Amino acid sequence: MSVLALAGGVGGARLAAGLARALPPGDLAVAVNTGDDFEHLGLSISPDIDTVVYTLAGLNNPELGWGLASETWAFMAALERLGGETWFRLGDRDLATHVERTRRLAAGETLSAITADFAARLDIAQRIVPMSDDPVRTIVETDEGALAFQDYFVRRQCAPVFRGLRFDGADGARPSAGFAEALADPALEAIVICPSNPLLSLGPILAVPEVRAALAARRVPCIAVSPFIGGQAVKGPAGKIMAELGRDATPAGLLALYDGLVDGLVIDGADAGARADVPLHVTDTLMRGPDDQTRLAREALAFAAGLAR
Ligand code: FO1
């Protein structure tokens, strides 16, 4: 039995952690968005990979959602004194990840190999795979022009009006070997799209041609857990972005984005009675802590099993 989860940052990582607790370790693979990756201060940074790895290792910073728990910020303070860029906060412990990843990428290793090694060293038994080992960069088109993802998301705090998205490199990108294997696994029984931002975090994953094709040709149920509750995103700018795109942060709006790739949708009680052209599982989708994450994961897996043809 194997389950493939597609995840972006914080919201996706939380459900991935719930799935990790709900399944035997070897049964879960998590394919993670790399469209948010960027070069910063000379470092190769993969925020969503790190958020998923730290969360599955139980090391994530619960307040921030990203970075490491019990973090210190001496590096940031020293960088500030030197006039360096401190808008993207890099904690002292987190810094080791970026420095070592940068060194190993420069030595010719793939992001997949580095990620698998970091996860193993953090005693993570699940497979965490980048969506691709080829560079894909999310570019946000706004009323102020095109912005690299982290510029838009962190430096500008999503203030510019969202006009559209580009995923530079996606057309020529291949799924990572681990992702392709998980998609083709004969033991695959369900695909779970985690409650990450459908545009910013799932968009890049679905923009990789072979990924969208594999999902369109799927022979197992693919279910999504909505990141929206009552028309608003639980965390982050998804609600604002959907509104600026003229789309609804509703089950129907979400399904329109996933465009036939989803066989069932898990939504919150606040959206009960919503119109949708696929089966709905209505429950409490707010993950307040690990127990909620595990409960929601179990419900999502049972829902997918019920949809199996
Ligand atoms: N998000 C912020 O809003 N501010 C930050 O300073 C910040 C730093 C950061 C450092 C490492 C990391 O792995 C993630 C970080 N994030 C920060 C989150 C990140 O921008 C987003 O989580 C993803 O790119 C979108 O999901």
Side-chain angles (χ1 to χ4, degrees), residues 167-290:
F167 305 120
D168 286 357
D171 288 350
R174 308 283 318 278
S176 65
F179 192 9
E181 276 159 35
L183 281 164
D185 185 346
L188 184 65
E189 293 195 6
I191 300 164
V192 179
I193 297 180
C194 293
S196 296
N197 186 309
L199 292 156
L200 297 180
S201 302
L202 272 304
I205 299 175
L206 300 178
V208 177
E210 288 169 63
V211 171
R212 179 174 285 271
L215 291 180
R218 66 192 179 280
R219 292 210 308 278
V220 298
C222 175
I223 65 161
V225 176
S226 176
F228 302 126
I229 296 181
Q232 284 304 319
V234 171
K235 182 175 174 46
K240 172 180 181 286
I241 291 172
M242 293 287 274
E244 288 167 347
L245 270 183
R247 289 180 171 273
D248 302 326
T250 60
L254 189 62
L255 287 167
L257 279 180
Y258 288 140
D259 189 20
L261 298 180
V262 165
D263 302 304
L265 186 61
V266 179
I267 62 171
D268 192 83
D271 298 298
R275 188 179 48 77
D277 53 8
V278 298
L280 298 173
H281 175 74
V282 183
T283 186
D284 177 0
T285 59
L286 189 60
M287 294 179 276
R288 299 165 192 78

Side-chain angles (χ1 to χ4, degrees), residues 8-32:
V10 178
R14 288 183 175 141
L15 185 65
L19 289 165
R21 280 189 286 272
L23 289 164
D27 286 4
L28 177 64
V30 185
V32 186

Side-chain angles (χ1 to χ4, degrees), residues 138-157:
T138 300
I139 303 296
V140 182
E141 287 147 357
T142 76
D143 59 340
E144 298 176 20
L147 295 174
F149 179 84
Q150 299 298 347
D151 263 10
Y152 166 77
F153 191 82
V154 178
R155 197 166 57 80
R156 300 299 313 280
Q157 303 287 308

